[in-house]
Amino acid sequence: MKGQRAAVPRPSRVRARSAAIGAFVVLAATVPAAASAAGTQEVDAELRYVCALPSGRQPVGVRVSAAFPDRVEAGEAISPVDVTTTVELPADAVADLTALEAATARAATRLTVGVAQDEAAAEATWHGAAEPAALPGAGPLTLTATGDVPSVTGRSDGDLTFSAGNLAVDLELGAADGTAAGPGTLTLDCSPAEDTPKDGLLATVRVGTDTAGPSGSPSPSGSAPKAPAPSSGTPGAPQDRQGDRAPKAAGDPPGAAADRDAPPCRYDDAHPPTPASLNAYVTGYTNVRKLKGASLLPPSCMLIEQGNPVDGPPDPEYLIFDTASTADFHYEGRKQTPPFESTFLTFGFTPVTATMVLEQTGPITIDSRIKMRWSDFRTITDTYVRAPLVLRVTALEVNGTPLDVGPGCRTETSLTSADPDPANHPGDHLVLYGRGEQDLGLPATGYLLLSGGSLSGETTVPAFTGCDAGGENLDRLLTASVSGPGNLLKQVQGQTCSIANPVFGDEFNAPQCTRDLQPYVIPVPER
């Protein structure tokens, strides 16, 4: 995984339009997930925390799972994958939430992870987001969050350790009628209990050779480089070792020219832009639960019309406003992805290669709520993307033999997700969620309009229909091998290009648009 990209400075005209947009990773077929590579350590740590609840401090169980490499070379980035933070609130904590008239809770987690190598240390923040969960009538509540993890680089030889520190759990509370409950949001500040196992140690990764060399400060990606500490005393005196070994920040995805390996993404006479028009590339992965695999959506173009912000619900602690925007896939004038090919194993042994597209059956909507806290001007942006998308299969090969699926082979309905607000958003559609955060004067993290980022969700793949040309009905083959619930999604959106106010790049600003007004950044998918 990669860390969140910091927002790039923009002209004020662009910066003012700060509602988040959405774009998608969506299900195609599946590429079998590779087995854990040699030299990978699977971590599943059970930890104990104490969290501040409305009724007082209470013990809370936390489980952190992830996959780390066993060994890397000095200067090589360590990127934990499959990171999950599971928080189990005890029955008394659930009672605190129900006392606020809450019926559901959606969690976003922020876990501080200490990284140490010899005497050098750094910190990283692991963000996670969970699907909405109904509060039980009795007993505990389990919230499972997944999200982005910054990479860390050990700058010299020696063991590098990862340890769990303080945890914040941001809860979005909903009432039974779908409206906000109680204060709307509640943050639980948690610290490791004194008896947490191994002082919160998650993993140890060997950096370099077996013989440890001089310590180098580990570095979470995205952190600003530190200037070397000035020497004191006589000329040539050693400098402070922590500052002397600056963190190594991960770079943005490469690429700048319009002829890169991505479909065209520009407005034209048939799709003229407006002053609110943006465009961006999106890509990503989805897991397919049945096949224990992952499927790739290649870079796809999105055309976005950003809505105007309106006042949100009153809150004495926050200034709140909402923005409703719309978006469309755009490929050769049609609202779909480019055709793409995937190979997967049906029932674990039969290779199947499918060519597919994802087609819209209605408008894609992006609902963003921006909250600025009056006390310190901290801004939080929550974005929900709703996309009615069917998966169409245009060609199929089974064990190397082409099978005619006909022109109408597709899922019966759109890919579907549990919607946090079904009364206002009925019908079948995919839902993705992302959160962006920014402290005054600091770079933004998470998912925001200006810098892009990742959204995540979970979807059910409907049954297939219409796959019966050539005298053989293939509906049941595709349905049995792919369709079903519990498929996790992770989409990455690249930097947007503002058509009305393009930024081509200069000494103060990174480029956002190519000269022909296509998105400059083509994002890289992240697992």
Side-chain angles (χ1 to χ4, degrees), residues 11-12 14 185 196 215 235 246 297 327 331 361 380 392-393 396 414 420 428 434 451 471 483 514 518:
S12 58
V14 178
T185 59
T196 197
S215 170
L297 175 71
Y331 177 72
T361 59
I380 298 173
R392 181 182 295 276
V393 179
L396 190 68
S414 169
D428 294 326
S451 57
S483 301
T514 61
Q518 298 191 69

Side-chain angles (χ1 to χ4, degrees), residues 176-192:
D177 61 1
T179 61
T185 59
L186 179 68
T187 296
L188 309 183
D189 291 316
C190 308
S191 56

Side-chain angles (χ1 to χ4, degrees), residues 53-55 58-59 89-99 139-141:
L53 274 295
S55 62
Q58 298 187 29
L89 299 179
D92 289 346
V94 177
D96 282 351
L97 302 183
T98 55
L141 170 66

Side-chain angles (χ1 to χ4, degrees), residues 70-84:
D70 283 330
R71 178 193 296 273
V72 296
E73 296 299 322
E76 179 183 352
I78 300 170
S79 299
V81 297
D82 300 330
V83 178
T84 299

Side-chain angles (χ1 to χ4, degrees), residues 166-363:
N166 292 334
L167 171 68
V169 183
D170 300 313
L171 297 175
E172 181 181 338
L173 304 178
D177 61 1
T179 61
T185 59
L186 179 68
T187 296
L188 309 183
D189 291 316
C190 308
S191 56
E194 292 182 358
D195 61 346
T196 197
K198 300 181 180 179
D199 293 327
L201 179 66
L202 300 177
T204 300
V205 178
R206 168 64 73 181
V207 178
T209 63
D210 290 332
T211 302
S215 170
S217 177
S219 59
S221 68
S223 57
K226 297 179 181 178
S231 61
S232 59
T234 60
Q239 296 177 330
D240 174 71
R241 296 188 64 81
Q242 287 277 6
D244 192 21
R245 293 180 299 274
K248 182 180 180 181
D252 288 332
D259 60 353
R260 290 166 296 168
D261 187 18
C265 189
R266 62 169 66 91
Y267 289 83
D268 52 33
D269 292 341
H271 301 83
T274 71
S277 293
L278 306 168
N279 53 0
Y281 285 110
V282 296
T283 185
Y285 287 103
T286 179
N287 290 336
V288 179
R289 185 176 181 182
K290 277 189 174 180
L291 298 175
K292 300 179 180 179
S295 176
L296 169 68
L297 175 71
S300 301
C301 173
M302 296 292 295
L303 304 182
I304 305 110
E305 287 299 308
Q306 193 176 5
N308 294 318
V310 299
D311 291 339
D315 189 305
E317 297 184 9
Y318 291 90
L319 171 65
I320 301 177
F321 57 96
D322 297 329
T323 301
S325 305
T326 59
D328 291 314
F329 278 115
H330 182 64
Y331 177 72
E332 295 184 349
R334 299 187 294 275
K335 297 178 181 180
Q336 65 174 59
T337 67
F340 53 96
E341 184 178 279
S342 291
T343 299
F344 56 98
L345 295 178
T346 304
F347 309 118
F349 61 88
T350 304
V352 176
T353 300
T355 303
M356 296 151 291
V357 296
L358 286 153
E359 296 179 345
Q360 286 179 232
T361 59

Side-chain angles (χ1 to χ4, degrees), residues 444-464:
T445 62
Y447 178 79
L448 293 174
L449 167 64
L450 297 181
S451 57
S454 65
L455 299 105
S456 59
E458 184 174 308
T459 189
T460 295
V461 182
F464 284 80

